[in-house]
Amino acid sequence: MLACFAASQSADNPLSGLQIGEQPAPVAEDGWTVVTVRTAGLNHHDLWSLKGVGLPADRLPMILGCDGAGTTPDGAEVLLHAVVASPGWRGDETLDPRRTLLSELHPGTLAEQVAVPTANLVPKPAGMSWEQAATLSTAWLTAYRMLFTNAGVAPGATVLVQGAGGGVATALIQLGSAAGLRVWVTSRDEAKGAAAVALGADAAFASGERLPDRVDAVLDTVGAATWKHSIKSLRPGGTLVTSGATSGDPAPMLLTDIFFRQLRVVGSTMGTRDELDRLARFVLAAGITPAIDSVVPLADARQGFEKMAAGELMGKVVVSVG
């Protein structure tokens, strides 16, 4: 079957190891289902895998891709939940210390077929397009958990999203706006700030700019480059939810600010299968159209990887498979 996979890894030139070609078709073991993929989505996780982060070299070649949607052998239309719990785990799979994502231990979604645990199948809501379905399993699920599980905000609250343009940030803007939050964003790029406002953000500010008021929650995937601004932007008792550190770990941590103003710092990683189910139903019910930067066929997936690596995206790259 045709697949997009990591054949080798390079921290300096990750796309050098990206190949598109034939790979063995999956075989379902007990408790797993082979899904015919219709659409898949690209994530920065795929680039990290090509850099050698989180994917040991002895597992190569590895089919990439965490997001996906497709059909089961009986014709059911499904979303694919990417978090795979270890055998015997019970409860929130994101808390399993041995959890993996599709494309880390088990082949991913950038292929004509993928095998996933049957428990990871989520019904695709009727009326949701295949392209929209392919956006939800990773970045949008991460954003949903950040906002509605970990930030502790309610309609009318003000939240700050650090770094407009990325997949998680774009999802946070659209979900927050639909849920009745006042959403502010920061960006180093004025055009991306304007695009964020067009998506539903109430205002955009330059990175590090002093805000008109302090916010109830900050949603940060950047880390070191935005950490001080995130802490200083919170009202007393506010919450910083972090789900990434693309610019590295912050130093100093600003602990004095954190304890004196009684701030909460909450880590957030992906989400559960049930949260993905609720997310999909909320997106459809609220009339949200997930921002899609572009749609490329599987054979041309490298084009999407190049845009993602260059930081030129506003929304998700969707790969059309079937």
Side-chain angles (χ1 to χ4, degrees):
M1 67 174 182
L2 188 65
C4 178
F5 58 96
S8 62
Q9 296 167 314
S10 169
D12 298 324
N13 184 17
L15 296 189
S16 65
L18 180 69
Q19 291 193 20
I20 300 171
E22 293 296 312
Q23 286 288 289
V27 177
E29 56 188 270
D30 288 345
W32 289 57
T33 298
V34 172
V35 174
T36 299
V37 180
R38 292 288 303 271
T39 50
L42 300 189
N43 292 281
H44 277 89
H45 181 275
D46 302 312
L47 283 178
W48 287 112
S49 296
L50 288 163
K51 291 179 179 181
V53 178
L55 177 62
D58 61 8
R59 294 180 187 166
L60 300 181
M62 175 61 76
I63 297 173
L64 300 170
C66 302
D67 289 336
T71 56
T72 63
D74 62 2
E77 299 182 346
V78 294
L79 309 181
L80 306 177
H81 179 42
V83 183
V84 180
S86 59
W89 177 263
R90 296 292 181 268
D92 184 336
E93 57 269 32
T94 68
L95 299 178
D96 178 2
R98 297 173 58 207
R99 72 184 183 277
T100 59
L101 299 183
L102 292 175
S103 77
E104 291 179 347
L105 178 61
H106 307 285
T109 59
L110 288 172
E112 293 177 318
Q113 291 185 316
V114 61
V116 298
T118 303
N120 284 41
L121 302 180
V122 173
K124 182 175 81 68
M128 176 176 286
S129 73
W130 286 110
E131 290 75 18
Q132 292 172 358
T135 68
L136 300 181
S137 301
T138 304
W140 276 72
L141 179 59
T142 297
Y144 183 92
R145 187 177 180 92
M146 290 176 76
L147 268 178
F148 303 124
T149 303
N150 290 326
V153 290
T158 302
V159 300
L160 174 66
V161 177
Q162 293 281 23
V168 174
T170 300
L172 286 166
I173 292 164
Q174 294 191 262
L175 290 170
S177 177
L181 302 173
R182 181 168 65 163
V183 181
W184 291 347
V185 301
T186 64
S187 179
R188 294 175 297 177
D189 184 325
E190 188 173 335
K192 285 186 176 180
V197 171
L199 280 175
D202 293 273
F205 303 91
S207 296
E209 182 179 347
R210 185 183 180 92
L211 303 180
D213 198 2
R214 287 182 168 175
V215 302
D216 298 290
V218 177
L219 307 156
D220 193 332
T221 63
V222 181
T226 54
W227 190 263
K228 182 176 180 179
H229 186 251
S230 293
I231 293 293
K232 298 294 186 182
S233 297
L234 284 167
R235 64 164 179 78
T239 303
L240 192 165
V241 182
T242 173
S243 69
T246 56
S247 63
D249 288 330
M253 290 293 292
L254 303 174
L255 291 179
T256 303
D257 284 271
I258 292 171
F259 71 71
F260 187 74
R261 291 194 285 125
Q262 300 185 71
L263 306 179
R264 292 195 315 142
V265 177
V266 181
S268 190
T269 298
M270 290 290 288
T272 67
R273 184 261 181 214
D274 290 342
E275 285 171 325
L276 178 58
D277 189 23
R278 293 197 297 270
L279 163 63
R281 288 187 279 114
F282 176 61
V283 164
L284 192 67
I288 301 171
T289 301
I292 294 174
D293 179 90
S294 52
V295 180
V296 297
L298 179 59
D300 297 328
R302 178 177 290 273
Q303 297 175 13
F305 274 84
E306 291 172 345
K307 293 188 70 175
M308 184 168 61
E312 297 174 351
L313 301 181
M314 191 67 199
K316 296 280 290 182
V317 173
V318 172
V319 175
S320 176
V321 181

